[in-house]
Amino acid sequence: MIRSIGFGVALAGLAAATGAEAQSAANLAVLRGLAPVSALAKTPAGRAALGSNYAVTGGIQTGALRLPTPLPFAEQQGQALRDAFITDGNVAELADGLGTTLGAAYVARAHYLDRDHFTNLSPAIADLIAYTNATTGSDSNSGKYFFANGTKDGKAAVSDEAGAIFKAANGAPDPFGTAYGRPAGSPGADAFGDSRPFQTEPSVVTIYGLDYFGAPASSDVYNRGPISNLQDSPSYPSGHTTYGYMGSILLGVLVPDRYPQMVARAAEYGNDRILMGAHYAMDVLGGRTLATHDLAHLLANDPAYMNQSFKDGASPMLPGGGKREIPPIADYRAAVKAAQAEMASALQAGCGGPVAACAKADIGRFSDPAALDSFVAATQTYGLPVVHPETAGTIEDVGKLAPEAGNLLTVAFPTLTLDQANAILTETEGPGGGFLDDGSAFGVYSRLNLRAAAKRAAAAVAGR
């Protein structure tokens, strides 16, 4: 199956499909969940977190602060440049998390021919990816301008219900631009607010190398143009990270034998945005939390997430103009189950053996479990300080706060009950008290260590 894409897939998720409604119920739920960032400047703990966010981001970007990334620093910079292009039509660039054998089998059938044309494994899998990407992309895009200047798109006013979110959070727009000396519209700043690290940090290392298509490029041409221009694209949350976790979790659910490695690929993809100078650590944490939250609600068949109407941002322009309508999904779990069967058949044919065996045949950067554990753990909080002491040092019961979260595991490992899955998520959750971990149903997603949870779930199923 071959389809075309329009220009703009590299624009930090801003080209993701948009919903028929500018602010859906799902959008509003995510805006409320992400809103604690807007109040950070109001408290000493919040201001300390903002300061740490700036310092940690700058340290990671320049290499002064080294994380245990899957690749050595210089090679990881090259991977970050390749990851600047978003393959949202088929999530092909994320497929290396499937391993060297299964990943090759996947991209043999689902790949980009050039910047404007790509293939897919099947129409059903293509539609599943499109609907999932549109759902998470809509929520991510809603957040960007909302937290930058309190609007829908930079100019249009939000609804009264959305406007009340800032008041409820005791927050204000443009938290990063204000904190880092680049308020909206000031010289060198984002016109709308929440200027990016390449606009605020005192020193930014430019990455030179080959991009996803093997063309000579640099981080500058993906940040400031001409390939993509993010100078007036607000930073929070990270659209690339939202896409990276969306696609990686979806591939993990479709290929459970590689679920833990796919989570590591998502963490790498998000961290690569910091290396590019395009995002702060908090942007990445926001994108991860948003995507994980949305995937859980999709997998739970939450009515607010079903039967949504979206335009497909990764489709070709129609003859009369505009984009194709993504077929609405009324039963997401059923769509995933069907896609699992199609995926298994295609991968088995491509790798020449059982998927489980091919999943183990990996000699790439996702083949060292201990190293991946260390890397994912380092990205759980990026070492940012506690903002919410009421959740720090405590275990939050995922089943009570966000019972739908267990679907992140049960759909991949169907012999687990929802209660068992939520218990695993609770037992493996990361440190608490972060800037989003305010005790809410959304905030607990910021603590989930989905790699650790997927490993434990797989072990539990194998032991039966």
Side-chain angles (χ1 to χ4, degrees):
M1 178 188 180
I2 299 178
R3 291 166 54 199
S4 299
I5 60 170
F7 174 77
V9 291
L11 298 184
L14 292 179
T18 55
E21 297 181 5
Q23 290 172 305
S24 66
N27 292 158
L28 291 171
V30 168
L31 293 181
R32 292 188 188 97
L34 293 172
V37 73
S38 68
L40 292 176
K42 302 293 182 67
T43 66
R47 291 190 291 273
L50 283 169
S52 180
N53 181 50
Y54 188 69
V56 166
T57 296
I60 292 174
Q61 202 281 325
T62 61
L65 176 61
R66 298 289 178 95
L67 269 61
T69 50
L71 294 168
F73 184 70
E75 293 179 43
Q76 197 66 60
Q77 287 179 306
Q79 182 65 47
L81 186 58
R82 291 190 292 275
D83 281 346
F85 183 83
I86 294 180
T87 59
D88 54 353
N90 56 18
V91 301
E93 71 193 302
L94 302 173
D96 41 7
L98 294 175
T100 49
T101 301
L102 286 182
Y106 184 88
V107 299
R109 291 159 175 75
H111 52 268
Y112 272 67
L113 305 171
D114 54 38
R115 293 179 187 270
D116 300 316
H117 303 87
F118 58 86
T119 65
N120 277 290
L121 259 69
S122 73
I125 291 177
D127 288 341
L128 178 65
I129 291 171
Y131 189 87
T132 311
N133 182 56
T135 300
T136 58
S138 174
D139 287 343
S140 178
N141 294 342
S142 292
K144 284 186 176 290
Y145 289 103
F146 181 77
F147 291 108
N149 69 355
T151 66
K152 293 179 183 177
D153 56 8
K155 297 179 181 179
V158 297
S159 66
D160 290 342
E161 188 176 7
I165 291 173
F166 281 121
K167 183 177 181 180
N170 191 31
D174 197 16
F176 296 154
T178 302
Y180 305 146
R182 289 288 189 276
S186 63
D190 189 298
F192 304 104
D194 278 342
S195 295
R196 293 171 180 257
F198 69 81
Q199 296 167 302
T200 66
E201 291 282 352
S203 177
V204 177
V205 173
T206 301
I207 300 173
Y208 297 94
L210 302 179
D211 69 7
Y212 185 74
F213 297 97
S218 72
S219 52
D220 283 345
V221 302
Y222 276 93
N223 288 342
R224 298 181 180 274
I227 295 180
S228 64
N229 190 338
L230 307 181
Q231 294 179 92
D232 292 325
S233 168
S235 189
Y236 180 83
S238 168
H240 270 77
T241 304
T242 300
Y243 154 79
Y245 273 89
M246 176 282 299
S248 294
I249 293 172
L250 183 57
L251 285 178
V253 169
L254 294 179
V255 189
D257 289 303
R258 296 292 297 187
Y259 200 154
Q261 293 89 343
M262 286 309 312
V263 177
R265 177 62 176 116
E268 178 192 45
Y269 194 83
N271 191 70
D272 282 350
R273 299 306 292 158
I274 301 177
L275 292 178
M276 284 287 287
H279 281 293
Y280 305 99
M282 283 185 177
D283 297 333
V284 172
L285 295 174
R288 182 188 79 201
T289 305
L290 182 165
T292 308
H293 167 273
D294 280 3
L295 262 293
H297 282 267
L298 283 166
L299 291 166
N301 278 347
D302 183 335
Y305 289 75
M306 299 299 104
N307 289 310
Q308 296 192 90
S309 297
F310 294 111
K311 298 289 187 180
D312 187 357
S315 68
M317 293 295 293
L318 298 173
K323 298 282 189 174
R324 75 152 186 149
E325 296 280 349
I326 299 173
I329 293 180
D331 187 338
Y332 190 85
R333 290 173 68 99
V336 168
K337 185 176 181 180
Q340 286 172 328
E342 289 191 16
M343 181 74 80
S345 177
L347 293 183
Q348 182 166 325
C351 76
V355 171
C358 293
K360 296 177 181 177
D362 180 17
I363 58 172
R365 67 186 189 278
F366 297 104
S367 60
D368 185 337
L372 296 181
D373 288 343
S374 296
F375 171 61
V376 171
T379 65
Q380 277 294 118
T381 67
Y382 281 101
L384 301 183
V386 167
V387 174
H388 298 283
E390 66 276 15
T391 57
T394 66
I395 296 175
E396 293 179 272
D397 189 329
V398 175
K400 291 182 178 179
L401 281 170
E404 74 287 338
N407 290 283
L408 292 164
L409 299 179
T410 59
V411 179
F413 307 102
T415 59
L416 290 177
T417 67
L418 189 63
D419 286 344
Q420 289 170 334
N422 280 321
I424 290 173
L425 291 171
T426 300
E427 293 162 3
T428 57
E429 65 188 22
F435 79 104
L436 291 175
D437 186 27
D438 58 356
S440 67
F442 183 92
V444 75
Y445 281 95
S446 68
R447 293 188 67 171
L448 299 188
N449 183 334
L450 202 51
R451 173 174 166 80
K455 288 176 64 178
R456 186 167 299 187
V461 170
R464 291 181 175 178

